[in-house]
Amino acid sequence: MSNVNEIVVRYLAAWNEREPEKRRELVAKTWTDDGTYVDAARDGKGHDALDAMIATAQGHFPGYRLNLASGIEAHHDCLRFSWAAGGTAEAPLFIKGTDFVILGGDGRMKSVVGFTDAAPARV
């Protein structure tokens, strides 16, 4: 298994990168070519769709940055970790989630399934 700390840091950096070319590079380094992401609000498969999905999420949540909020649990080709965003003047609403990952043979993420642990109530 590749260095799981590095892959998770790169994953969070991809979600936080606002410059399209840099974000696209991080997506390619993070996910396999056919990599996927799915949660209750969004999904993407392949680098183009994943990059577009992240850009759309950034548009919906300007000022938000994902930060690691737990240790990284790893076994076999699986990872689990939690992240948090918000709770700042620029991004006042607090959001927290947990992501489950399956790594591909090259150490990049093949599949990510995200769950929201805490978010503002929908009105």
Side-chain angles (χ1 to χ4, degrees), residues 68-117:
L68 190 62
S70 72
I72 302 166
E73 186 174 358
H75 63 80
H76 298 85
D77 60 353
C78 301
L79 307 177
R80 178 181 65 108
F81 59 91
S82 295
W83 52 266
T88 66
E90 302 81 32
L93 302 176
F94 179 77
I95 304 169
K96 183 175 183 298
T98 298
D99 290 348
F100 296 87
V101 176
I102 297 175
L103 296 174
D106 63 0
R108 292 183 295 165
M109 295 180 172
K110 179 149 184 69
S111 169
V112 181
V113 179
F115 290 88
T116 303
D117 300 328

Side-chain angles (χ1 to χ4, degrees), residues 15 17-18 23 42 52-64:
W15 280 96
E17 181 57 60
R18 303 291 195 209
R23 183 182 57 243
R42 63 194 53 81
M53 176 196 72
I54 292 171
T56 299
Q58 290 172 344
H60 291 151
F61 298 99
Y64 281 78

Side-chain angles (χ1 to χ4, degrees), residues 4 47 66 113:
V4 297
H47 295 167
L66 273 63
V113 179

